[in-house]
Amino acid sequence: MIAKINRNAPSREDAFNQLMDMYGEEIKRLIFSFVKSWPQAEDLTQDVFVTLYTKLDTFRGESNIRSWIYSIAINKTKDYLKSWHFRKLQVTDKLKGESTTGKNAVEIHVISNTEDRILYESVLQLPLKYREVILIHYYKEFSIRETSEFLSIKEATVKTRLSRARKLLHDQFIKLGGER
């Protein structure tokens, strides 16, 4: 099984470390786009890789290893977003009048172009079911078929959500000051 991941890895630990090096940051950014909090994204990323390590022997090689890791990450993130802890944090932040992304979020400082920033903010404001298909399909460049596999939904549903998400994005982009 380890040989399928990387033929040069002499041990399970080496293969796991290579996977962390290859996909760690990518997975953390994906999770951040869902939870909008860097500390929580880091915690969830650790959870993903702990699960990956414990389940490494169950990888059958029927799909790409990247796809398998993404599936684990998306499922962990969705579980967190459904959790009591997350809902309590949202209510607490609303009562305090604070944004869950923080005023000095690294992503906002990195994006200097106004149009890009408006688009980024528009994507983050989409409802989760639309945000996830946009991020997976466009940002991570997975096909519609792969996106449907990750999310365990039909390809037609992915296409419909992409269409609706683009419409919502356009409306939100214009509302936030983007050009038509």
Side-chain angles (χ1 to χ4, degrees):
M1 200 309 284
I2 297 297
K4 288 181 184 176
I5 296 171
N6 187 333
R7 298 194 190 288
N8 300 326
S11 71
R12 173 189 175 103
E13 286 75 23
D14 290 338
F16 177 73
N17 287 333
Q18 288 178 352
L19 290 173
M20 282 185 60
D21 290 342
M22 290 170 60
Y23 300 111
E25 280 300 312
E26 189 176 335
I27 294 298
K28 183 168 51 171
R29 286 192 308 269
L30 173 72
I31 292 171
F32 172 80
S33 64
F34 284 88
V35 299
K36 302 176 190 175
S37 163
W38 282 114
Q40 193 57 48
E42 290 170 353
D43 288 348
L44 286 169
T45 302
Q46 286 180 352
D47 286 348
V48 167
F49 282 100
V50 166
T51 300
L52 178 67
Y53 185 79
T54 59
K55 304 283 186 185
L56 202 51
D57 294 334
T58 65
F59 179 66
R60 296 176 295 209
E62 294 173 359
S63 65
N64 183 318
I65 188 76
R66 182 177 182 226
S67 299
W68 187 58
I69 295 170
Y70 264 71
S71 295
I72 293 170
I74 290 168
N75 288 334
K76 287 276 184 196
T77 304
K78 283 183 172 182
D79 289 346
Y80 171 73
L81 292 174
K82 293 176 190 173
S83 73
W84 175 85
H85 181 261
F86 176 73
R87 290 193 312 267
K88 182 177 184 268
L89 278 178
Q90 279 192 317
V91 170
T92 304
D93 287 346
K94 284 181 183 176
L95 290 174
K96 289 180 182 176
E98 298 173 359
S99 169
T100 57
T101 58
K103 293 179 183 172
N104 60 353
V106 176
E107 292 285 317
I108 301 301
H109 292 297
V110 171
I111 300 173
S112 58
N113 183 314
T114 304
E115 294 273 313
D116 288 345
R117 191 185 86 254
I118 292 171
L119 180 60
Y120 172 76
E121 290 173 2
S122 298
V123 169
L124 288 181
Q125 291 179 11
L126 288 173
L128 179 61
K129 69 182 184 179
Y130 299 127
R131 186 170 66 226
E132 67 188 1
V133 294
I134 290 287
L135 291 170
I136 294 168
H137 183 68
Y138 290 113
Y139 180 65
K140 295 300 179 182
E141 298 178 349
F142 283 104
S143 69
I144 289 177
R145 183 187 55 76
E146 290 171 319
T147 303
S148 73
E149 288 173 10
F150 293 153
L151 302 175
S152 301
I153 57 177
K154 295 179 182 178
E155 289 183 34
T157 304
V158 171
K159 291 176 184 177
T160 300
R161 287 183 184 178
L162 282 170
S163 175
R164 290 177 183 168
R166 285 189 295 264
K167 169 79 170 105
L168 289 171
L169 262 179
H170 178 265
D171 294 347
Q172 186 66 17
F173 186 74
I174 299 302
K175 187 175 160 182
L176 291 175
E179 294 183 22
R180 292 180 191 249

CSV table of all heavy atoms in Angstrom, one decimal, residues 51-71:
chain,number,residue,atom,x,y,z
A,51,THR,N,-6.1,11.4,11.2
A,51,THR,CA,-7.0,10.4,10.5
A,51,THR,C,-6.3,9.7,9.3
A,51,THR,O,-6.4,8.5,9.2
A,51,THR,CB,-8.3,11.1,10.1
A,51,THR,OG1,-9.0,11.6,11.2
A,51,THR,CG2,-9.3,10.1,9.4
A,52,LEU,N,-5.7,10.5,8.6
A,52,LEU,CA,-4.9,10.0,7.4
A,52,LEU,C,-3.9,8.9,7.9
A,52,LEU,O,-3.8,7.8,7.3
A,52,LEU,CB,-4.2,11.1,6.6
A,52,LEU,CG,-3.4,10.7,5.4
A,52,LEU,CD1,-4.3,10.1,4.4
A,52,LEU,CD2,-2.6,11.8,4.9
A,53,TYR,N,-3.2,9.2,8.9
A,53,TYR,CA,-2.2,8.3,9.4
A,53,TYR,C,-2.8,7.0,9.9
A,53,TYR,O,-2.3,5.9,9.6
A,53,TYR,CB,-1.4,9.0,10.6
A,53,TYR,CG,-0.2,8.1,11.0
A,53,TYR,CD1,1.0,8.0,10.3
A,53,TYR,CD2,-0.3,7.3,12.2
A,53,TYR,CE1,2.0,7.2,10.7
A,53,TYR,CE2,0.7,6.5,12.6
A,53,TYR,CZ,1.9,6.5,11.9
A,53,TYR,OH,2.9,5.7,12.3
A,54,THR,N,-3.9,7.1,10.6
A,54,THR,CA,-4.5,5.9,11.2
A,54,THR,C,-5.2,5.1,10.1
A,54,THR,O,-5.4,3.9,10.2
A,54,THR,CB,-5.5,6.2,12.3
A,54,THR,OG1,-6.5,7.1,11.8
A,54,THR,CG2,-4.8,6.9,13.5
A,55,LYS,N,-5.6,5.7,9.0
A,55,LYS,CA,-6.4,5.0,8.0
A,55,LYS,C,-5.5,4.8,6.7
A,55,LYS,O,-6.0,4.3,5.7
A,55,LYS,CB,-7.6,5.9,7.5
A,55,LYS,CG,-8.5,6.2,8.6
A,55,LYS,CD,-9.4,5.1,9.0
A,55,LYS,CE,-10.4,5.5,10.0
A,55,LYS,NZ,-11.2,4.5,10.6
A,56,LEU,N,-4.2,5.1,6.8
A,56,LEU,CA,-3.3,4.9,5.6
A,56,LEU,C,-3.4,3.5,5.0
A,56,LEU,O,-3.4,3.4,3.8
A,56,LEU,CB,-1.9,5.3,6.0
A,56,LEU,CG,-0.9,5.7,4.9
A,56,LEU,CD1,-1.5,6.8,4.1
A,56,LEU,CD2,0.4,6.1,5.6
A,57,ASP,N,-3.6,2.5,5.9
A,57,ASP,CA,-3.6,1.2,5.4
A,57,ASP,C,-4.9,0.8,4.6
A,57,ASP,O,-5.0,-0.1,3.9
A,57,ASP,CB,-3.5,0.2,6.5
A,57,ASP,CG,-2.1,0.2,7.1
A,57,ASP,OD1,-1.1,0.6,6.4
A,57,ASP,OD2,-1.9,-0.1,8.3
A,58,THR,N,-5.9,1.7,4.8
A,58,THR,CA,-7.2,1.4,4.2
A,58,THR,C,-7.3,2.0,2.8
A,58,THR,O,-8.3,1.8,2.1
A,58,THR,CB,-8.4,1.9,5.0
A,58,THR,OG1,-8.3,3.4,5.1
A,58,THR,CG2,-8.4,1.3,6.4
A,59,PHE,N,-6.3,2.8,2.4
A,59,PHE,CA,-6.4,3.4,1.1
A,59,PHE,C,-6.2,2.3,0.0
A,59,PHE,O,-5.2,1.6,0.0
A,59,PHE,CB,-5.3,4.5,0.9
A,59,PHE,CG,-5.2,5.1,-0.4
A,59,PHE,CD1,-6.2,5.9,-0.9
A,59,PHE,CD2,-4.1,4.9,-1.3
A,59,PHE,CE1,-6.2,6.5,-2.1
A,59,PHE,CE2,-4.1,5.5,-2.5
A,59,PHE,CZ,-5.1,6.3,-3.0
A,60,ARG,N,-7.2,2.2,-0.8
A,60,ARG,CA,-7.2,1.1,-1.8
A,60,ARG,C,-6.6,1.5,-3.1
A,60,ARG,O,-6.4,0.6,-4.0
A,60,ARG,CB,-8.6,0.6,-2.0
A,60,ARG,CG,-9.2,0.0,-0.7
A,60,ARG,CD,-10.7,-0.3,-1.0
A,60,ARG,NE,-11.4,0.9,-1.2
A,60,ARG,CZ,-12.7,1.1,-0.9
A,60,ARG,NH1,-13.4,0.1,-0.5
A,60,ARG,NH2,-13.3,2.2,-1.2
A,61,GLY,N,-6.3,2.7,-3.4
A,61,GLY,CA,-5.7,3.1,-4.6
A,61,GLY,C,-6.7,3.3,-5.8
A,61,GLY,O,-6.3,3.4,-6.9
A,62,GLU,N,-8.0,3.2,-5.4
A,62,GLU,CA,-9.1,3.3,-6.5
A,62,GLU,C,-9.2,4.8,-7.0
A,62,GLU,O,-9.7,5.0,-8.1
A,62,GLU,CB,-10.4,2.9,-5.9
A,62,GLU,CG,-10.4,1.4,-5.6
A,62,GLU,CD,-11.7,1.0,-4.9
A,62,GLU,OE1,-12.6,1.8,-4.7
A,62,GLU,OE2,-11.9,-0.2,-4.6
A,63,SER,N,-8.7,5.7,-6.2
A,63,SER,CA,-8.7,7.1,-6.6
A,63,SER,C,-7.3,7.7,-6.4
A,63,SER,O,-6.5,7.0,-5.8
A,63,SER,CB,-9.8,7.9,-5.8
A,63,SER,OG,-9.4,7.9,-4.4
A,64,ASN,N,-7.2,8.9,-6.7
A,64,ASN,CA,-5.9,9.6,-6.5
A,64,ASN,C,-5.8,9.9,-5.0
A,64,ASN,O,-6.7,10.1,-4.3
A,64,ASN,CB,-6.0,10.9,-7.3
A,64,ASN,CG,-4.8,11.8,-7.2
A,64,ASN,OD1,-4.2,11.9,-6.2
A,64,ASN,ND2,-4.5,12.4,-8.4
A,65,ILE,N,-4.5,9.8,-4.5
A,65,ILE,CA,-4.3,10.0,-3.1
A,65,ILE,C,-4.8,11.4,-2.7
A,65,ILE,O,-5.3,11.6,-1.6
A,65,ILE,CB,-2.8,9.7,-2.7
A,65,ILE,CG1,-2.7,9.8,-1.2
A,65,ILE,CG2,-1.9,10.7,-3.3
A,65,ILE,CD1,-3.2,8.6,-0.4
A,66,ARG,N,-4.6,12.4,-3.6
A,66,ARG,CA,-5.0,13.8,-3.3
A,66,ARG,C,-6.5,13.8,-3.1
A,66,ARG,O,-7.0,14.5,-2.2
A,66,ARG,CB,-4.5,14.7,-4.4
A,66,ARG,CG,-4.9,16.1,-4.3
A,66,ARG,CD,-4.3,16.9,-5.4
A,66,ARG,NE,-4.6,18.4,-5.2
A,66,ARG,CZ,-5.1,19.1,-6.2
A,66,ARG,NH1,-5.3,18.7,-7.4
A,66,ARG,NH2,-5.3,20.4,-5.9
A,67,SER,N,-7.2,13.1,-3.9
A,67,SER,CA,-8.7,13.1,-3.8
A,67,SER,C,-9.1,12.5,-2.5
A,67,SER,O,-10.0,13.0,-1.9
A,67,SER,CB,-9.3,12.3,-5.0
A,67,SER,OG,-9.0,12.8,-6.2
A,68,TRP,N,-8.4,11.4,-2.1
A,68,TRP,CA,-8.8,10.8,-0.8
A,68,TRP,C,-8.5,11.7,0.3
A,68,TRP,O,-9.3,11.8,1.2
A,68,TRP,CB,-7.9,9.5,-0.7
A,68,TRP,CG,-8.3,8.6,0.4
A,68,TRP,CD1,-9.5,8.1,0.7
A,68,TRP,CD2,-7.4,8.2,1.5
A,68,TRP,NE1,-9.4,7.3,1.9
A,68,TRP,CE2,-8.1,7.4,2.3
A,68,TRP,CE3,-6.0,8.4,1.7
A,68,TRP,CZ2,-7.5,6.8,3.5
A,68,TRP,CZ3,-5.5,7.9,2.8
A,68,TRP,CH2,-6.2,7.1,3.7
A,69,ILE,N,-7.4,12.4,0.3
A,69,ILE,CA,-7.1,13.4,1.4
A,69,ILE,C,-8.1,14.5,1.4
A,69,ILE,O,-8.6,14.9,2.5
A,69,ILE,CB,-5.6,13.9,1.3
A,69,ILE,CG1,-4.6,12.8,1.4
A,69,ILE,CG2,-5.4,15.0,2.3
A,69,ILE,CD1,-3.2,13.1,1.1
A,70,TYR,N,-8.5,15.0,0.3
A,70,TYR,CA,-9.5,16.1,0.2
A,70,TYR,C,-10.8,15.6,0.8
A,70,TYR,O,-11.5,16.3,1.4
A,70,TYR,CB,-9.7,16.5,-1.3
A,70,TYR,CG,-8.9,17.7,-1.6
A,70,TYR,CD1,-7.5,17.7,-1.7
A,70,TYR,CD2,-9.5,19.0,-1.8
A,70,TYR,CE1,-6.7,18.8,-2.0
A,70,TYR,CE2,-8.7,20.1,-2.1
A,70,TYR,CZ,-7.4,20.0,-2.2
A,70,TYR,OH,-6.6,21.1,-2.5
A,71,SER,N,-11.2,14.3,0.5
A,71,SER,CA,-12.4,13.8,1.0
A,71,SER,C,-12.4,13.8,2.5
A,71,SER,O,-13.4,14.2,3.2
A,71,SER,CB,-12.7,12.4,0.5
A,71,SER,OG,-12.9,12.4,-0.9
